[in-house]
Amino acid sequence: MKELVISSEEYDAFRSYLEDITGIVLGDNKHYLISSRLNRLMEESKFESYTDLLREVKKPTKGPLRENVINAMTTNETMWFRDIYPFEVLKNELLSQFVANRGKPLRIWSAACSSGQEPYTISMTVSEFLDKNPGAFASGVQIVATDISSAMLKYSQQGVYDNSAINRGMSPERKERFFTAVGDNWAVKPEIKSRVTFKSLNLQESYSSLGKFDLIFCRNVLIYFSSAFKGDILNRMAEILNPDGYLFLGSSETPTRYTDVYKMIRTSKGVVYQKK
Ligand SMILES: C[S@@+](CC[C@H](N)C(=O)[O-])C[C@H]1O[C@@H](n2cnc3c(N)ncnc32)[C@H](O)[C@@H]1O
């Protein structure tokens, strides 16, 4: 495949467009990232230059091109039980706090769900909690999983994973319990899948249609955004987080530099955040 060279002007125009439509900020020297991620799309769509691509993608009749650019430019790295501790904390310390006096479902948002490992891991954690606390959450548990990438949402919704995806963080015991073999692949069982609803959501958009949440997972996505956008996301998440609810961030992420609406809660295994 012939790789088209991207000029400095094209690079600046493209990264500014990408930030406009996704919030993703590319550093000064990520030319290779654009060319490696967009090379196939450029060839398939027969664009002669990045200027041609930008002209086309900016046309108001968006079509699939814009979607394809977003799918190519988002980083979807994820795994089962990523960092382990959030799910241990959820199961052993937090879920029990939401059991008493509930006449309504427990609601959890996985805000950048990628290929589905995060929301399905949350659902598996809920099942493991229910094993020890049968009858808890009689009104149900709703997990809303959102992402900007249509390709990731399509993949997540299927809930079928190959061995290389399964091998990233899934123990043999959990694989046995939560998956069914389908040929060479593994399908998430209905017990796990039925709690999760997938929706397309760009974190730049309003969150109000999602309703209120008891727990929000916003992990390993803020890293791609500007400080101003991180603050904006965290402030708007606080608006839809119930007062006794919790926010989980990625293991190296913290809200303190971007907003002061959260207080840090130390658990035995790591930190989570609550509205002040
Ligand atoms: C590295 S993955 C993180 C997945 C998961 N939360 C985890 O921690 O393993 C980042 C995800 O953020 C999504 N993303 C990037 N920009 C977004 C935006 N503006 N709105 C919603 N999702 C976005 C990407 O499509 C990608 O699936």
Side-chain angles (χ1 to χ4, degrees), residues 21-24 70 74-79 82 110-115 118 146-149 152 201-204 217-221 223-225 229:
I21 61 166
T22 64
I24 295 171
I70 292 175
T74 44
T75 302
N76 309 118
E77 172 75 19
T78 189
M79 62 185 290
R82 188 170 188 173
S110 166
C113 67
S114 185
S115 39
E118 183 175 275
T146 61
D147 203 280
I148 194 175
S149 161
M152 284 302 111
L201 183 97
N202 181 341
L203 288 167
Q204 292 172 316
F217 285 71
C218 178
R219 309 195 63 230
N220 305 301
V221 62
I223 39 169
Y224 301 104
F225 304 144
F229 188 31

Side-chain angles (χ1 to χ4, degrees), residues 167-274:
N167 288 340
R168 301 203 62 219
M170 185 53 61
S171 68
E173 297 75 25
R174 283 180 170 140
K175 181 167 99 172
E176 176 73 24
R177 157 113 200 250
F178 296 124
F179 293 84
T180 313
V182 182
D184 288 341
N185 297 326
W186 300 90
V188 179
K189 284 190 177 168
E191 168 199 342
I192 299 306
K193 210 165 176 240
S194 59
R195 293 190 189 105
V196 187
T197 310
F198 291 94
K199 286 188 178 147
S200 169
L201 183 97
N202 181 341
L203 288 167
Q204 292 172 316
E205 293 163 8
S206 164
Y207 310 153
S208 56
S209 67
L210 301 174
K212 297 265 181 188
F213 291 97
D214 301 297
L215 296 142
I216 299 179
F217 285 71
C218 178
R219 309 195 63 230
N220 305 301
V221 62
L222 294 178
I223 39 169
Y224 301 104
F225 304 144
S226 68
S227 299
F229 188 31
K230 287 183 218 220
D232 171 51
I233 291 173
L234 291 164
N235 287 337
R236 289 188 298 121
M237 284 185 170
E239 287 168 17
I240 59 163
L241 187 62
N242 289 330
D244 55 352
Y246 294 96
L247 169 72
F248 283 88
L249 297 178
S251 57
S252 58
E253 296 164 336
T254 152
T256 41
R257 269 186 291 146
Y258 315 109
T259 176
D260 58 3
V261 299
Y262 294 97
K263 60 182 181 230
M264 191 199 271
I265 309 287
R266 284 186 195 283
T267 70
S268 62
K269 298 251 168 63
V271 297
V272 291
Y273 299 91
Q274 249 183 342

